[in-house]
Amino acid sequence: MTALTPTSDALRPQAPFPLPRFAQIEPIGRCNLACSMCTVNHRGDEVATLSMARFTALLDAMPALESLHLQGLGEPMLHPQFFDMVALAARRGIRVSANTNLTLLTMARARRCIDSGLAALSVSLDGATAGTFEAIRHGASFDKVVRNLGRLTDARDAAGSTLEVRGVMVLMRSNLGELPALVELLHAHRVAELLVQRLSSDLEHEALPTRYVPIRDYSRQAELQAKDLPQAAAVFERASQRAQALGLRLHLPALKPVPTEEASAAVPRCHWPWEGLYFTAAGELLPCCMAATADRATFGRVFEDDAASAQVHLDSAWNGATAQRFRQGLSEDRPPSLCQSCALYHGTF
């Protein structure tokens, strides 16, 4: 999962709020893997596959959309019409990006990444060795993913494509030491960028459904602890030096939270509920990508209950009472429970 990182100032229009120019849409709500830190196989909301008709209707309801991230908790390449969705949005002038675990890539799909108009694809790689990677990404073969990465960059380079391919690493205690080696591996496969995100402990909020407790407990022991930070700083330095020498763009997370006095100044900690739309495959509008499932938080359903209906009721959710209360809480010193343990909110994601 890749989080939105807005850059606008603190001045926001008064309600009703205009629709953002960025949206994240989950094409499918299931995954072929069972990663240790992911809630996808524990989710308590509706697990759905977004129809092409409903996807088209969502785009129609957002005529000013400029950027679309086509991924949620599920693996997007499980959707049989994923590339058709990409192509439709791209034809409308929308910049489309996605995340993938890359386990389902074939040569044909590598070519579709190019000819569909996909602008950027982030590849999840949480280690530089099979042992570390496969202990985190249950059900994935490290060798297969690395082979598929080569297929992807081969197809891109053969076509002279501008497709942006980047690695994404979820940083934990178990894989911290492999960061410099991952920089080397990605460079060897002609990937020019690596985004490192800390394992987020955003499952600590009071109303957490009990089904997520095992994931929360895993995250507690797997995420970086205070005692790990000196080692992390040293690893970051080595990785940064190697990335600079290779010409690879390396994005590292903060190791300490943003100071309270700095975060409570004019610019709020988080802009998501004003500047980003997040839809699950079932049509729930969530406050942000970190909520991930409607059983944790939702602004409301944008589709009618009739599964065959593609009619969209977007404004009633985006500017509804639930959304307004959430935004008000996020603007105050004590944010909603969902946000209080969120790494994105605290600036350490």
Side-chain angles (χ1 to χ4, degrees):
M1 176 181 63
T2 304
L4 173 69
T5 312
T7 57
S8 69
D9 59 34
L11 297 176
R12 301 194 180 97
Q14 298 298 310
F17 296 98
L19 293 177
R21 294 187 293 273
F22 169 87
Q24 184 164 342
I25 299 176
E26 179 183 60
I28 189 166
R30 57 188 176 85
C31 187
N32 60 319
L33 301 183
C35 302
S36 302
M37 65 291 189
C38 184
T39 59
V40 65
N41 294 312
H42 297 254
R43 64 189 304 168
D45 60 349
E46 181 182 353
V47 179
T49 299
L50 184 66
S51 70
M52 195 68 187
R54 284 187 164 183
F55 176 73
T56 303
L58 280 176
L59 295 189
D60 290 343
M62 301 180 289
L65 194 66
E66 296 177 357
S67 181
L68 170 65
H69 192 59
L70 197 52
Q71 189 260 345
L73 278 184
E75 165 54 44
M77 289 192 190
L78 280 173
H79 196 295
Q81 293 180 290
F82 168 69
F83 291 109
D84 296 328
M85 292 177 169
V86 173
L88 175 62
R91 286 197 299 270
R92 297 189 180 197
I94 300 169
R95 186 182 191 277
V96 186
S97 61
N99 277 44
T100 178
N101 59 40
L102 213 61
T103 59
L104 302 176
L105 192 81
T106 61
M107 287 302 298
R109 286 175 177 160
R111 288 190 290 270
R112 287 290 279 147
C113 287
I114 308 305
D115 61 32
S116 65
L118 187 65
L121 186 63
S122 297
V123 176
S124 297
L125 269 172
D126 298 324
T129 64
T132 297
F133 175 84
E134 292 171 8
I136 296 170
R137 298 273 169 180
H138 300 304
S141 162
F142 177 75
D143 291 341
K144 181 178 181 179
V145 169
V146 172
R147 180 199 67 196
N148 287 348
L149 179 60
R151 282 178 168 175
L152 179 63
T153 53
D154 284 347
R156 177 200 63 190
D157 296 348
S161 169
T162 58
L163 173 68
E164 299 172 14
V165 180
R166 72 171 178 177
V168 176
M169 178 189 198
V170 179
L171 188 70
M172 312 180 197
R173 304 177 77 187
S174 63
N175 63 8
L176 171 63
E178 296 191 3
L179 176 57
L182 184 57
V183 169
E184 299 274 1
L185 185 152
L186 290 172
H187 177 261
H189 287 79
R190 305 183 305 285
V191 176
E193 186 175 14
L194 172 59
L195 173 65
V196 181
Q197 299 175 334
R198 289 178 65 170
L199 177 60
S200 172
S201 59
D202 65 327
L203 296 174
E204 297 289 346
H205 70 280
E206 299 166 359
L208 183 72
T210 56
R211 66 179 63 88
Y212 300 125
V213 168
I215 305 298
R216 183 200 63 192
D217 292 346
Y218 172 85
S219 297
R220 283 176 174 174
Q221 60 87 19
E223 65 185 357
L224 296 184
Q225 309 292 331
K227 63 183 179 182
D228 302 315
L229 299 188
Q231 179 193 359
V235 172
F236 281 13
E237 179 62 25
R238 292 199 304 274
S240 296
Q241 290 178 358
R242 194 63 191 129
Q244 184 175 7
L246 296 172
L248 182 141
R249 297 185 299 278
L250 177 62
H251 307 275
L252 295 169
L255 292 177
K256 295 182 180 180
V258 175
T260 303
E261 59 274 13
E262 179 180 333
S264 61
V267 180
R269 289 178 182 265
C270 182
H271 299 263
W272 244 110
W274 289 269
E275 298 181 5
L277 293 153
Y278 185 103
F279 301 94
T280 69
E284 296 280 353
L285 177 61
L286 307 190
C288 65
C289 67
M290 303 298 275
T293 54
D295 57 337
R296 295 185 62 199
T298 181
F299 288 165
R301 192 177 178 90
V302 300
F303 297 128
E304 295 180 351
D305 290 337
D306 180 0
S309 173
Q311 187 171 355
V312 177
H313 304 282
L314 182 50
D315 189 68
S316 59
W318 178 248
N319 280 303
T322 300
Q324 299 292 19
R325 285 194 299 270
F326 192 95
R327 293 186 185 106
Q328 180 60 38
L330 193 55
S331 299
E332 296 172 353
D333 290 339
R334 182 171 176 81
S337 174
L338 178 73
C339 309
Q340 289 173 21
S341 64
C342 177
L344 192 61
Y345 178 81
H346 288 288
T348 58
F349 189 70

